[in-house]
Amino acid sequence: MSDERTEINSLGEFGLIELLTKNIEIQQVSTVLGVGDDAAVIDHFGRQTVISTDMLIEGIHFDLMYTPLKHLGYKSVVVNLSDIYAMNATPTQITMSIAFSNRFSVDALNEFYEGVYAACEKYGVDLIGGDTTSSQKGFVISVTAIGEVAPDKFVKRSTAQKGDLLCVSGDLGAAYLGLTLLEREKQIYLESPQLQPDLENQTYIIGRQLKPEARRDIIEFLQEQDIQPTAMMDVSDGLSSEILHICKQSNLGVVLYEEKIPIANETKEMALKFSLDPTAAALSGGEDYELLFTMKQEDYDKIVLSEQISVIGYMADISEGAHILTKGGNKFKLVAQGWNAFQQ
């Protein structure tokens, strides 16, 4: 920061809120009243409202040593919008609450909000309120996302059917490998501050960690093709964990094919450099924010029109359990952590 650091206490809470929210432009017709009153007002014109909340805590969910504040603002919005898309809904508004210690300046918070607004603009959502307060140490972020969906078109985790195809968008494991690389460089820096970080031009995997995107395009594709997923959720904790959620809540088993799991070449190459198994990174890495969903077999011909969607398995009777078939033809029980995915 420059020498002209602006201290938070020079503005006070209301002055700070006014500064951070002065340029808001309302994008949604459903936003009747936004920031600046005791509560926001939204009117969804007979559509159903979907709400999700997430907290991000410094030192637990992010490390400011390698996370630019603008990226953090962007990501904190996107991870919440991903939950709304995972319900087959369209996000329309967010509230943003932050707590911060006195090591943060007005300029730092402004940078964070630049990322928040960039995400709001990209996804067409309105920031309509929130709270700012001080914390004893570190940075705490809480975002609530609000969305709308046509009556009874929302998709739960518990409604998959036996025989449904299991699908996932995009590719998996990249965010975990990006995090692994950033953590390696952090450790090298802590031991030898004079060394320049070497991120090996890995813009893809680092971007997937620091600046993820929510899969609005997949929801739009499903709607265009008139495909109603039977169950859906986003991949935030790792593929195996999310599949097991759908199995448990839908009372089903699953067969997952290792060879069908989409993994980008950049992810595979970096996994091998770290002596990690790319499949293990995809199964247990997390933070990919792809959409995992089930659908009826008769919609298969429609789904192949999208290069962004992979069919990776099918839902089975609960008596069959949850298994992964490896490239080598072995069958292992699917479990929700790391390399154990291949232990019977």
Side-chain angles (χ1 to χ4, degrees), residues 31-168:
T31 307
V32 179
L33 184 63
V35 173
D37 222 297
D38 289 309
V41 178
I42 54 180
D43 179 357
H44 275 146
F45 315 108
R47 290 166 73 82
Q48 290 176 332
T49 301
V50 180
I51 301 170
S52 177
T53 299
D54 257 339
M55 287 189 83
L56 298 166
I57 313 289
E58 184 179 355
I60 307 285
H61 301 104
F62 59 89
D63 188 330
L64 288 176
M65 196 157 176
Y66 51 70
T67 308
L69 282 164
K70 187 172 179 180
H71 285 63
L72 181 63
Y74 191 92
K75 181 174 181 175
S76 63
V77 174
V78 164
V79 300
N80 277 270
L81 303 186
S82 182
D83 283 330
I84 301 295
Y85 289 123
M87 299 296 293
N88 200 36
T90 302
T92 47
Q93 289 91 6
I94 61 162
T95 66
M96 166 71 68
S97 297
I98 55 174
F100 43 85
S101 67
N102 60 8
R103 77 173 214 265
F104 291 90
S105 65
V106 170
D107 317 277
L109 296 182
N110 246 333
E111 201 180 316
F112 173 81
Y113 268 84
E114 272 181 43
V116 169
Y117 291 130
C120 286
E121 188 177 343
K122 173 155 187 176
Y123 290 93
V125 303
D126 293 330
L127 173 63
I128 59 165
D131 191 20
T132 57
T133 186
S134 57
S135 75
Q136 286 188 314
K137 58 176 188 177
F139 196 18
V140 178
I141 305 157
S142 176
V143 181
T144 296
I146 300 156
E148 60 176 46
V149 65
D152 303 322
K153 286 288 186 186
F154 61 85
V155 178
K156 301 189 288 185
R157 302 175 181 184
S158 58
T159 40
Q161 304 289 317
K162 180 182 170 184
D164 284 351
L165 299 175
L166 180 68
C167 309
V168 73

Side-chain angles (χ1 to χ4, degrees), residues 204-219:
Y204 180 67
I205 62 171
I206 289 169
R208 288 294 300 265
Q209 169 58 221
L210 294 181
K211 190 176 177 282
E213 299 291 354
R215 296 312 303 252
R216 171 173 62 183
D217 58 322
I218 300 296
I219 297 303

Side-chain angles (χ1 to χ4, degrees), residues 332-344:
F332 292 103
K333 188 178 178 188
L334 191 65
V335 295
Q337 73 277 75
W339 201 191
N340 295 343
F342 293 96
Q343 291 177 3
Q344 284 175 300

Side-chain angles (χ1 to χ4, degrees), residues 174-312:
Y176 174 72
L177 267 301
L179 179 64
T180 306
L181 180 57
L182 288 164
E183 283 287 345
R184 180 194 74 182
E185 291 306 309
K186 175 188 170 182
Q187 290 309 318
I188 291 171
Y189 173 79
L190 289 174
E191 289 160 21
S192 312
Q194 74 280 7
L195 291 178
Q196 282 294 308
D198 178 14
L199 297 176
E200 303 185 31
N201 293 321
Q202 291 292 332
T203 51
Y204 180 67
I205 62 171
I206 289 169
R208 288 294 300 265
Q209 169 58 221
L210 294 181
K211 190 176 177 282
E213 299 291 354
R215 296 312 303 252
R216 171 173 62 183
D217 58 322
I218 300 296
I219 297 303
E220 289 171 349
F221 173 81
L222 294 173
Q223 288 169 352
E224 284 162 14
Q225 297 300 321
D226 199 25
I227 298 168
Q228 175 76 0
T230 52
M232 184 156 57
M233 63 186 299
D234 72 337
V235 182
S236 52
D237 297 330
L239 180 64
S240 57
S241 170
E242 317 301 13
I243 290 174
L244 290 171
H245 279 304
I246 289 178
C247 287
K248 183 179 180 186
Q249 295 191 25
S250 295
N251 216 24
L252 291 171
V254 72
V255 177
L256 171 67
Y257 296 96
E258 181 190 12
E259 64 190 34
K260 303 282 189 189
I261 299 171
I263 302 173
N265 286 332
E266 294 94 329
T267 306
K268 289 178 185 171
E269 288 165 13
M270 190 50 69
L272 297 173
K273 282 188 184 177
F274 281 118
S275 301
L276 295 169
D277 180 80
T279 301
L283 287 175
S284 302
E287 290 207 293
D288 287 310
Y289 301 104
E290 297 293 353
L291 291 174
L292 175 72
F293 62 94
T294 57
M295 64 171 204
K296 297 189 184 326
Q297 290 194 24
E298 52 259 40
D299 285 329
Y300 176 76
D301 288 345
K302 297 179 186 174
I303 216 82
V304 292
L305 297 171
S306 172
E307 292 179 1
Q308 285 295 311
I309 297 172
S310 305
V311 178
I312 58 174

